[in-house]
Amino acid sequence: MIKRIFPLGLMVLSLLQGCGGSDGGSDSDQRVVSGSVFASGPLERGAVTVSTLDGAGKTVLAETTTSNSGRWSVELPNDLDGAVLIEVSGGAYQELVGRETVSLEGSLALKAITWLEDGESSTVNVSPLSTLAEGLYRYRRSLSVPSDDAVAYGNSQVSSFVGFNILDSSPSKAAVLNDSSRFHSMLVGLSSISDWVATVNGGSPGTTVEFTAKAYADILNGRLDGRDSSGELFLGSVAMGADLYRHALALNIIAAEGPDSLLSFSEREAYARTINDSELREFSQDDVIPLDLASPVLFNMSHAEGELVAGNVTLSHAVVSQESLSGCDLLIDGGFYETTQADLTPGYSIETELLSDGAHSFTMECTDATGEKAGETLNLIVANAGTEISNIQPADGQTIGGNFTFSADVTDPAGVQSVRFDVNGTSYFPASLSSPSVAIDTSQFADQGKPYALDITVISQGGGTTAETVTFDLDNVAPSAEWNLENMEVATGVQTVSGQFGDNTGIAEVRLYVDGEQIRQVGSSPFSADIDTRTYDDGSYLVALEVMDGAGNTTTLSKELFFDNTPPEVTLSNPWEGDVITRDFDIVALIENPDQVEAAVVFLVDGAQYSQSSADNLVSTELNVSNYSNNANHEIGVSVTDRAGFTTVKTVTVFFDY
């Protein structure tokens, strides 16, 4: 077996040989592998599983539970030789910052990967750092790197980044800068960042194990860059990335004071700079904000850029400074608002009700004893008015029917995230968030006359929920209607339209139309309304009566009528005036619009009916002259009466000489 040695700053890690030494010549069939588990503080009663890795799978070798101090120990076969995975789930620990007790639940787990050679015993400490190393190991294995190389690479890279052997060191608050105090400072920094994330997110996610789980997902692509295969990674609203891992972490390490650290400011700063300045390939490909303490540095803002605020709000942040602070100020929209005492975690109490709703700038400035000043500005949205839902259709208690458009007006000073309409057991999500509407065919609702409800739920951009409910009645029964035009074909002069209508809930409107143009509104039933057909050219017109109830149900009666206010046009084409008739002949007439003539066409001789014919464009009848006196004048004519009752008579005088 080749033993690969990897550098760690000025010291050397021999991870392939194990981290706790070797008993070398033991003849026992078992050897001990032990260690501790640190999430932030020691993990109590956590379930430890130790497995050997076989290709793509794993074989469980031993299981145990951590002690109240996070310690664990298992016996493994003496002849075991290869990669060993330690996984810890369940249990609880106390955050170093905030002292919150946190339980590992669900898929949250801490891991470590090590290499054991035949006969070796080993001490392996499991922590967020060893978890990252196991993720880097997985990435290297996905590139077909040999298992022993992948183990050594993952552990040595993370160890080089943090400046101590992550598997072998145990954290302690020693008052000297050594591996143990570096480990402790790192855990304090991670806990401090997690505490800040919880503040920004208004609670969870914001614990060290949640931060570790997200960073673990991050490093599975080989880079701790805040991205995975699907895009950017966020812990709640906080973006993961190089500035968080190196700049923010470095600042939180420096900021640790009191019970969280016994190291001096300069010692914490020196260690933090190694984190900020790391040049490891996995951690330094993105540009990182440099650690510059020439002036105070403000960080860990309590609110995210663009966040919504309302009511009484406390803005806070952390600050580090090489010199003592003389004070910190808050400016709102450029104007002075409040001064706080010199504090490493200043807070500012703001009554946002005194501000107008909308965007405002909040600038926090700190000054040190030498007069050096630094500030950070947050642009926040004040939203005290909240969500307003108005102009709801249907109105409460309204009766509706047919195709109805449900709608409302929605306003919120911070903006609207979503709007949902719930009607008759179905949810609708309108496209417009300010004037949401949805058209629904209410005829699909089974029960008529039953009260229904429209529930409107609005979620604002700030996550607040506002709801309104209106009840409405349903009527999909159309009105009844009848009129006097049912059997009419022709109208002349002033035509009276009369009839009656009714509805189960009440009539809203009745309109009378001629060829689509409304000419009358009818008020009550029974009704009577006149149409002056003389204002129209003769011809066919569609007369319609539209009856609408309060729910929008409509009944329409329509009839095509021929408006006729002029007598028929008739031309007597034979004989002509003054003709001398010497033999039998045809009386011939031409009729314009014969389809409007219902009565028979009458042929006249000397004022008396001679014969008749059905109407046509051309009508005629043969006249036997011998039936009438000779050598005398006679009047020949034709009489035509149209459907409106107008009659036209055309006559000529001729002389019979037969």
Side-chain angles (χ1 to χ4, degrees):
M1 177 65 66
I2 299 175
K3 297 181 180 179
R4 293 172 171 81
I5 308 300
F6 291 84
L8 170 55
L10 298 178
M11 56 183 164
V12 175
L13 292 178
S14 181
L15 295 174
L16 297 183
Q17 290 181 321
C19 301
S22 170
D23 57 11
S26 174
D27 294 328
S28 171
D29 292 334
Q30 299 288 320
R31 34 68 183 280
V32 175
V33 176
S34 61
S36 297
V37 182
F38 305 96
S40 179
L43 183 71
E44 302 176 7
R45 315 310 296 171
V48 181
T49 302
V50 181
S51 308
T52 184
L53 302 178
D54 304 315
K58 64 182 180 181
T59 300
V60 175
L61 300 173
E63 295 178 320
T64 188
T65 302
T66 64
S67 69
N68 290 340
S69 61
R71 296 289 302 171
W72 62 277
S73 178
V74 296
E75 289 188 347
L76 300 181
N78 204 35
D79 58 354
L80 177 64
D81 187 7
V84 172
L85 172 66
I86 299 105
E87 299 173 284
V88 186
S89 59
Y93 71 95
Q94 189 178 67
E95 290 284 355
L96 293 175
V97 175
R99 301 300 187 264
E100 176 189 7
T101 298
V102 179
S103 297
L104 268 66
E105 298 175 347
S107 61
L108 292 176
L110 297 175
K111 305 178 182 183
I113 189 78
T114 189
W115 187 273
L116 294 182
E117 290 192 348
D118 188 13
E120 284 185 328
S121 292
S122 183
T123 300
V124 180
N125 288 325
V126 183
S127 69
L129 305 174
S130 65
T131 304
L132 291 184
E134 195 271 346
L136 195 53
Y137 158 82
R138 287 181 178 272
Y139 168 72
R140 299 289 288 182
R141 289 291 288 144
S142 71
L143 302 179
S144 300
V145 173
S147 184
D148 56 344
D149 284 350
V151 169
Y153 185 86
N155 285 317
S156 65
Q157 285 295 95
V158 177
S159 294
S160 295
F161 174 57
V162 298
F164 53 84
N165 185 334
I166 61 172
L167 297 185
D168 192 42
S169 296
S170 295
S172 71
K173 294 189 288 184
V176 60
L177 185 58
N178 56 23
D179 286 356
S180 293
S181 61
R182 288 187 182 94
F183 200 162
H184 178 78
S185 293
M186 177 58 64
L187 292 180
V188 170
L190 293 174
S191 184
S192 181
I193 282 186
S194 301
D195 183 66
W196 164 67
V197 168
T199 299
V200 174
N201 290 328
S204 187
T207 65
T208 298
V209 290
E210 289 172 321
F211 184 91
T212 301
K214 189 66 68 172
Y216 181 80
D218 186 355
I219 206 170
L220 289 177
N221 65 5
R223 292 184 61 197
L224 205 60
D225 57 1
R227 301 175 182 86
D228 65 4
S229 58
S230 61
E232 288 187 289
L233 290 169
F234 290 85
L235 192 59
S237 62
V238 177
M240 309 294 284
D243 281 331
L244 187 66
Y245 296 130
R246 291 167 55 197
H247 183 70
L249 178 58
L251 288 172
N252 279 282
I253 289 172
I254 297 173
E257 283 197 337
D260 293 329
S261 177
L262 296 180
L263 297 176
S264 67
F265 182 93
S266 60
E267 288 173 321
R268 298 196 306 274
E269 179 189 355
Y271 177 51
R273 289 192 181 279
T274 66
I275 302 299
N276 187 249
D277 297 339
S278 172
E279 295 183 356
L280 290 179
R281 182 172 61 86
E282 282 77 13
F283 309 99
S284 63
Q285 289 187 342
D286 291 331
D287 291 336
V288 176
I289 301 171
L291 193 58
D292 182 5
L293 299 183
S295 301
V297 178
L298 283 65
F299 61 104
N300 285 8
M301 299 294 165
S302 60
H303 291 68
E305 179 74 10
E307 188 176 334
L308 306 179
V309 293
N312 292 328
V313 175
T314 298
L315 296 185
S316 63
H317 58 82
V319 58
V320 295
S321 175
Q322 290 177 322
E323 304 291 338
S324 60
L325 293 176
S326 61
C328 295
D329 298 332
L330 173 66
L331 290 75
I332 300 180
D333 296 329
F336 174 78
Y337 182 81
E338 183 180 353
T339 293
T340 69
Q341 301 204 359
D343 193 321
L344 295 181
T345 55
Y348 313 88
S349 180
I350 304 167
E351 295 182 33
T352 64
E353 294 91 345
L354 302 178
L355 304 174
S356 62
D357 280 352
H360 295 272
S361 66
F362 299 83
T363 302
M364 288 147 279
E365 293 183 344
C366 291
T367 306
D368 66 19
T370 68
E372 290 291 336
K373 181 180 293 187
E376 292 287 341
T377 297
L378 282 177
N379 294 295
L380 306 176
I381 299 173
V382 174
N384 283 305
T387 303
E388 182 179 347
I389 304 172
S390 61
N391 233 1
I392 300 175
Q393 297 295 324
D396 197 40
Q398 182 179 344
T399 299
I400 67 170
N403 288 310
F404 188 86
T405 299
F406 294 78
S407 64
D409 291 336
V410 177
T411 59
D412 190 286
V416 176
Q417 184 180 146
S418 69
V419 177
R420 186 182 79 240
F421 285 2
D422 290 300
V423 184
N424 195 31
T426 301
S427 294
Y428 303 86
F429 296 90
S432 172
L433 298 181
S434 58
S435 300
S437 66
V438 58
I440 302 175
D441 182 4
T442 64
S443 64
Q444 65 183 297
F445 299 173
D447 299 325
Q448 301 297 312
K450 164 189 169 182
Y452 287 84
L454 163 64
D455 297 315
I456 303 177
T457 303
V458 179
I459 300 177
S460 71
Q461 289 291 352
T465 299
T466 303
E468 291 285 350
T469 297
V470 296
T471 58
F472 59 90
D473 293 318
L474 190 62
D475 175 17
N476 279 306
V477 178
S480 61
E482 57 184 41
W483 63 358
N484 64 326
L485 302 185
E486 200 61 41
N487 299 313
M488 192 175 294
E489 301 292 337
V490 179
T492 186
V494 177
Q495 175 64 57
T496 298
V497 181
S498 62
Q500 58 188 12
F501 48 79
D503 186 69
N504 61 325
T505 60
I507 297 299
E509 205 165 10
V510 181
R511 305 184 185 100
L512 184 64
Y513 296 88
V514 174
D515 267 6
E517 179 183 359
Q518 179 181 327
I519 63 168
R520 296 283 188 280
Q521 277 196 340
V522 179
S524 59
S525 178
F527 71 94
S528 178
D530 292 337
I531 301 174
D532 189 352
T533 66
R534 294 169 300 185
T535 61
Y536 299 87
D537 294 335
D538 286 0
S540 293
Y541 293 87
L542 185 67
V543 179
L545 183 73
E546 183 182 69
V547 183
M548 180 184 300
D549 67 16
N553 301 302
T554 302
T555 295
T556 301
L557 303 178
S558 62
K559 185 70 176 179
E560 187 170 355
L561 297 180
F562 191 87
F563 289 3
D564 189 352
N565 287 292
T566 57
E569 294 185 21
V570 180
T571 301
L572 190 62
S573 62
N574 191 58
W576 288 9
E577 179 71 26
D579 278 355
V580 176
I581 306 300
T582 60
R583 56 186 175 82
D584 294 347
F585 68 97
D586 289 335
I587 302 174
V588 181
L590 301 176
I591 301 174
E592 190 78 18
N593 297 322
D595 55 321
Q596 296 304 314
V597 178
E598 284 187 342
V601 176
V602 178
F603 295 98
L604 303 170
V605 177
D606 294 331
Q609 179 176 322
Y610 171 75
S611 67
Q612 63 183 27
S613 168
S614 58
D616 205 343
N617 289 112
L618 178 68
V619 293
S620 66
T621 187
E622 185 179 8
L623 179 64
N624 187 344
V625 297
S626 62
N627 293 329
Y628 297 91
S629 59
N630 194 20
N631 294 316
N633 287 323
H634 294 279
E635 186 181 69
I636 308 298
V638 61
S639 176
V640 179
T641 302
D642 64 16
R643 291 190 297 174
F646 293 106
T647 299
T648 298
V649 178
K650 294 288 186 176
T651 62
V652 295
T653 300
V654 298
F655 185 79
F656 281 11
D657 184 8
Y658 53 82

